Amino acid sequence: MPVTNDVSPLDLVNTLQGSNSEFRFSRGNCLPLVAMPFGMTHWCPQTNGERNGWFFHPDDPKLEGIRATHQPSPWIGDYGHFVVMPQTGERKLGARERSSVYRSEGAAFQPHYFSADLLRYNCTVELTPTERCAVLRCHFPVDTDIDPFDAAQTRRLIFEPFTGVSEVEILPEQRQIRGLTRTNSGGTPPNFALYFVITLDAPIEAWGLFEERAVFPDETIRTGSRVGAYAEFAPGELMVEARIATSFISIEQAERNLQQETGGLTFDEIKARGEAVWDESLSRIRIEGGTDDQRRTFYSCLYRTQLFPRIFHEIGDDGAQRHYSPYDGNIHDGPMYTDNGFWDTYRTVYPLYSLLCPERLGEILQGWVNVYKESGWFPTWASPGHRSCMVGTHADAVIADAIVKNIPGFDVATAYQGIRKHALEDVPEGSGFGREGLTEFIEKGYVSSDHFHAATSRTLDYAYDDFCISQAARALGHEEDADQLTKRSRFWRNVYDPAVGMMRGRNSDGSWRTPWDQFEWGGPFVEGGTWQHSWGVPHDPAGLIATMGGREAFTAKLDQMLALPPHFRVGSYGFEIHEMTEMASADFGQYAHSNQPVHHALYLFTCAGQPHKTQRWVRRVLTELYSSESFPADEDNGEMASWYVLSALGLYPLCPGHPSYVFSSPLFPAAHLSLPQGKTLTIRAKTEGEQDVIDAPYTKEIAWNGATWSSLSIGHDELIQGGELSVVLSDTPDTSRRFTSDQLPFSVTPYREDPQEA
């Protein structure tokens, strides 16, 4: 049935999607996060803190508490995190000792609300969030429900941080626990802290602090390693409410956040406000039709796209944005965002934002500009400061894409200055920003595999990033930069070996890295091998097609990627990393949708004039690898979820940095996108006969606002103005149609009717 006005998209979200994961096998590596869209602090039930980044699993039978978390990925880790847990009876403070059985099927997991019955303690805990705070409500049992032999009959709330220095103070008269934790996983200055204030609505009858296993009853202030606190209430208290504020600026700012975001509002009013905000955010795309699981998958994915990057700024009494800088340790004016890996998110997340929430995107981009101002570089991975992870400077793609799409709200001149710096200045190894091996890339035309880790991946990424900067330069009138960087964008050719017909590691003396092994991972590549990375030229598909021998040879190579067994050799990794396991488990050949490098590869069939293969394979990925329960692998900061959302709409940003989208075929009969200024983009799909849309993946006709649209891509300028995109689908591909060069997507190298002439 269609999603109608009486079925809220919020009701279709499964926040548990992707949480059934473990270290060795990812089904998303997600957490069931309770948060406002892009909220500064997320909240999540913790079932086993000893598993570090995998601290929640839906099959665990016990809860250890509700965790304030800032973890963007289990591979990156958490920071500024702590747990709160209600308890009755005997005091047990350690996570394992205090844990309580709960029934996950009876718990409420929603974006704006969590509740669970703690069966050990015969009580119920509820939580609803704001952007920087949360309200926790504990329903304790009546006296007759408590074990009469339990002399304490006490109700309490436990606060526990994680490894690292914490300073905790209990103010019984003010019914408050406050302090800071310096716990983090890296990327922070020495003065980093997460400040917290917990205000209770019931008198504190007894209290104490604890450090490791030592307990200090009646003590009110303590600094040490992982200092926690407990507050106890009278046996007659049936409900205790805790209002919890967080801040990266100060305790005073935490109190300000609490007043601004919860002052004068009841728990139920805050919950209703969160529900309304999420409903509006998710309703920016209204779909019709599809199966129950497809609708749930779509809106669960859309929820995932609204979590990262997180807000890192706070609001002063004057209404102005201010932020603690995790780059220089000072307080600055203006917005700040964090928890984002550009290697992942440039591909789909930011292009989706450019359609759905360009106003939010402008603020996020200004946050990244502020990072550049405060540290001298754009981040490659931010959490909360610079982290050394992955390769390339893909902020270039994000910013260039925004410039060519005329996204408002950020300092374009300074942004361009920052991405231009990426193309000009080398950095030391392990910097966490910039391009390692840039000097060699400029001088030799590639990064050598005997000098640098993941050298061929770096070469491909640097060439693409240079293309993106060239597009921004052209749009801003910097023609000399544009010409120079356009030439460098073709350096990908220097790591293509015609003898093997694929990308390959190249040594500093110009020789090819040996021995050659098409199934080896690592070495000159990152998180993949040559089958996954040989397509890494989204800005020059015509050049890649020509270099690989023309359209027929190129599509035959793509066919081979999908037909080969999912074989791999562990290479320089030395063991089977989870991405290898997930590729083999999916059984899509060497197409490893479990990782990002191939996420555009299926759309290259369209570039080679065979769009029906794009349509068939994309539909298979949508229906076979995604569900409302799981992802094909790591759902990195919304990237994999955004891939699903865009591909289900029948649109894909093949080359962020160029304002266009390649067509596949819509998964739903209709989708209505709410655009800025009250405009609407409607995408309609119908079949030639009686088939359901789900059974007809092949596009026969496309019309834009009633007129035939012959191109295989469409520009951002058209879509953002609103209108209707109508698609006629079939269950049979049309393989006879020949596409001319002007119907094919964009490329640095011009398309030719015979690509071998390109």
Side-chain angles (χ1 to χ4, degrees):
M1 69 176 186
V3 178
T4 58
N5 290 333
D6 59 347
V7 179
S8 167
L10 184 59
D11 295 333
L12 297 168
V13 172
N14 177 23
T15 64
L16 292 168
Q17 182 190 29
S19 63
N20 186 22
S21 300
E22 56 188 79
F23 174 82
R24 293 187 176 185
F25 195 87
S26 173
R27 296 176 180 86
N29 271 337
C30 300
L31 297 167
L33 296 172
V34 188
M36 295 296 278
F38 306 99
M40 188 180 84
T41 297
H42 296 165
W43 307 85
C44 182
Q46 176 176 300
T47 58
N48 188 342
E50 292 181 359
R51 286 200 302 262
N52 297 318
W54 293 264
F55 61 82
F56 173 86
H57 195 284
D59 293 340
D60 288 341
K62 298 178 183 179
L63 281 182
E64 297 175 349
I66 299 179
R67 179 162 168 167
T69 175
H70 302 91
Q71 177 174 293
S73 160
W75 309 111
I76 292 295
D78 213 340
Y79 62 92
H81 46 307
F82 58 83
V83 171
V84 289
M85 177 69 167
Q87 187 181 69
T88 61
E90 186 179 3
R91 187 172 64 230
K92 297 288 185 181
L93 299 176
R96 181 180 295 180
E97 292 78 13
R98 70 171 181 258
S99 64
S100 168
V101 63
Y102 84 114
R103 297 191 181 103
S104 60
E105 66 274 13
F109 291 90
Q110 296 176 285
H112 67 292
Y113 177 68
F114 172 78
S115 73
D117 295 327
L118 304 180
L119 303 181
R120 174 181 177 182
Y121 301 124
N122 195 22
C123 72
T124 299
V125 60
E126 299 177 278
L127 180 137
T128 192
T130 67
E131 284 189 339
R132 302 167 183 86
C133 309
V135 184
L136 184 82
R137 191 159 65 180
C138 310
H139 299 267
F140 291 114
V142 298
D143 290 347
T144 55
D145 292 336
I146 300 177
D147 182 351
F149 297 102
D150 179 1
Q153 293 192 4
T154 303
R155 296 93 153 88
R156 73 179 55 80
L157 185 71
I158 299 167
F159 163 87
E160 185 181 29
F162 289 80
T163 301
V165 172
S166 57
E167 301 173 14
V168 182
E169 183 179 16
I170 300 178
L171 303 172
E173 298 285 326
Q174 288 92 334
R175 303 179 180 180
Q176 194 174 87
I177 304 170
R178 60 198 297 172
L180 63 87
T181 172
R182 299 195 185 277
T183 304
N184 71 87
S185 299
T188 61
N191 68 345
F192 166 83
L194 182 282
Y195 301 90
F196 64 89
V197 172
I198 304 174
T199 300
L200 304 160
D201 71 345
I204 300 175
E205 299 287 314
W207 61 88
L209 302 172
F210 60 96
E211 185 174 357
E212 303 299 336
R213 294 187 176 275
V215 180
F216 307 95
D218 304 321
E219 192 166 303
T220 59
I221 187 167
R222 190 174 188 83
T223 300
S225 175
R226 200 172 182 177
V227 173
Y230 62 87
E232 297 184 342
F233 316 107
E237 296 289 351
L238 299 183
M239 186 176 74
V240 173
E241 189 175 274
R243 298 193 170 218
I244 310 169
T246 64
S247 171
F248 291 102
I249 295 176
S250 66
I251 286 177
E252 293 72 24
Q253 182 64 48
E255 292 180 321
R256 186 176 296 119
N257 293 343
L258 195 65
Q259 178 59 36
Q260 290 173 345
E261 297 184 7
T262 74
L265 298 174
T266 66
F267 180 99
D268 291 329
E269 288 171 336
I270 294 169
K271 177 186 172 187
R273 185 175 63 182
E275 180 178 7
V277 171
W278 268 112
D279 191 58
E280 187 279 331
S281 184
L282 295 168
S283 294
R284 293 189 181 193
I285 306 180
R286 302 286 296 195
I287 58 172
E288 297 178 13
T291 67
D292 287 345
D293 190 66
Q294 286 162 1
R295 291 193 297 274
R296 284 194 291 267
T297 302
F298 185 89
Y299 283 111
S300 298
C301 285
L302 192 57
Y303 148 78
R304 287 279 160 202
T305 71
Q306 308 293 299
L307 295 171
F308 300 101
R310 77 171 73 253
I311 293 168
F312 207 73
H313 55 265
E314 305 172 54
I315 310 300
D317 283 336
D318 58 357
Q321 296 173 333
R322 293 188 180 88
H323 63 268
Y324 165 82
S325 172
Y327 301 93
D328 67 11
N330 296 318
I331 306 299
H332 298 272
D333 292 337
M336 175 65 65
Y337 283 76
T338 193
D339 289 331
N340 177 85
F342 282 100
W343 188 84
D344 304 291
T345 57
Y346 84 86
R347 306 166 195 269
T348 57
V349 173
Y350 290 95
L352 180 63
Y353 293 168
S354 72
L355 282 173
L356 286 189
C357 51
E359 70 291 338
R360 169 78 72 174
L361 175 56
E363 182 178 84
I364 292 172
L365 293 172
Q366 185 57 42
W368 299 131
V369 169
N370 288 335
V371 172
Y372 170 66
K373 290 179 177 179
E374 293 158 23
S375 73
W377 295 91
F378 284 108
T380 54
W381 234 111
S383 183
H386 287 303
R387 302 289 290 274
S388 182
C389 184
M390 308 313 291
V391 301
T393 52
H394 296 306
D396 306 338
V398 170
I399 289 167
D401 199 54
I403 289 173
V404 298
K405 289 177 178 175
N406 295 309
I407 300 297
F410 70 105
D411 181 349
V412 171
T414 303
Y416 177 74
Q417 179 187 83
I419 61 176
R420 184 177 184 271
K421 183 177 180 179
H422 290 160
L424 299 177
E425 294 189 27
D426 210 335
V427 296
E429 185 177 356
S431 296
F433 48 76
R435 301 186 192 177
E436 297 177 22
L438 177 63
T439 300
E440 189 176 67
F441 175 77
I442 295 171
E443 293 176 352
K444 293 182 179 294
Y446 63 94
V447 181
S448 62
S449 61
D450 53 341
H451 286 170
F452 293 93
H453 162 70
T456 302
S457 292
R458 292 182 192 277
T459 300
L460 296 170
D461 282 355
Y462 296 175
Y464 166 66
D465 291 333
D466 280 348
F467 163 79
C468 292
I469 303 170
S470 77
Q471 297 302 289
R474 193 87 65 196
L476 298 174
H478 304 300
E479 296 296 333
E480 186 175 342
D481 285 354
D483 291 343
Q484 177 189 10
L485 295 171
T486 298
K487 291 177 182 177
R488 281 168 45 176
S489 75
R490 297 188 176 96
F491 282 1
W492 62 268
R493 298 169 184 266
N494 297 324
V495 290
Y496 177 83
D497 181 3
V500 299
M502 304 181 83
M503 303 297 174
R504 187 172 177 181
R506 195 165 191 176
N507 296 319
S508 54
D509 64 3
S511 62
W512 295 107
R513 178 181 181 268
T514 57
W516 160 250
D517 185 344
Q518 63 177 316
F519 298 117
E520 179 189 7
W521 280 43
F525 300 105
V526 61
E527 292 187 358
T530 188
W531 275 110
Q532 292 74 48
H533 286 271
S534 286
W535 320 104
V537 193
H539 60 291
D540 196 6
L544 184 63
I545 291 166
T547 301
M548 285 190 169
R551 293 178 189 169
E552 289 188 11
F554 181 78
T555 54
K557 182 73 78 172
L558 282 170
D559 289 336
Q560 185 183 7
M561 173 185 68
L562 291 154
L564 279 169
H567 185 56
F568 59 85
R569 294 189 179 89
V570 299
S572 61
Y573 286 100
F575 64 97
E576 183 174 326
I577 63 174
H578 75 95
E579 290 90 349
M580 300 171 188
T581 310
E582 292 142 11
M583 180 188 76
S585 299
D587 198 23
F588 270 65
Q590 292 293 318
Y591 175 75
H593 194 83
S594 54
N595 211 11
Q596 283 73 22
V598 300
H599 277 192
H600 70 292
L602 299 180
Y603 289 89
L604 293 176
F605 278 119
T606 295
C607 297
Q610 295 192 22
H612 64 282
K613 290 185 177 179
T614 292
Q615 295 151 14
R616 182 179 76 201
W617 284 105
V618 167
R619 181 64 61 87
R620 276 197 60 189
V621 173
L622 288 170
T623 55
E624 296 180 26
L625 297 186
Y626 288 80
S627 76
S628 61
E629 301 296 327
S630 67
F631 289 95
D634 284 0
E635 203 302 286
D636 290 308
N637 310 144
E639 192 280 336
M640 201 166 280
S642 295
W643 190 98
Y644 182 93
V645 169
L646 287 160
S647 295
L649 295 174
L651 301 168
Y652 191 79
L654 174 67
C655 180
H658 187 269
S660 61
Y661 305 82
V662 176
F663 294 124
S664 53
S665 59
L667 183 63
F668 299 99
H672 309 278
L673 284 68
S674 297
L675 304 178
Q677 301 175 356
K679 297 175 181 177
T680 300
L681 169 62
T682 296
I683 301 172
R684 295 192 185 277
K686 63 180 181 179
T687 61
E688 314 183 287
E690 299 299 320
Q691 311 104 316
D692 203 331
V693 166
I694 188 58
D695 299 319
Y698 300 110
T699 297
K700 289 290 189 179
E701 300 173 16
I702 299 175
W704 173 243
N705 290 332
T708 298
W709 189 268
S710 60
S711 176
L712 294 172
S713 62
I714 190 168
H716 181 81
D717 285 347
E718 283 85 9
L719 296 182
I720 202 67
Q721 293 303 315
E724 183 165 304
L725 188 68
S726 300
V727 183
V728 178
L729 301 176
S730 172
D731 61 356
T732 305
D734 181 1
T735 58
S736 62
R737 183 178 173 190
R738 180 173 174 81
F739 294 92
T740 58
S741 60
D742 62 339
Q743 294 173 296
L744 298 172
F746 168 82
S747 181
V748 169
T749 300
Y751 283 95
R752 307 290 170 82
E753 293 309 307
D754 180 358
Q756 295 188 56
E757 298 176 1

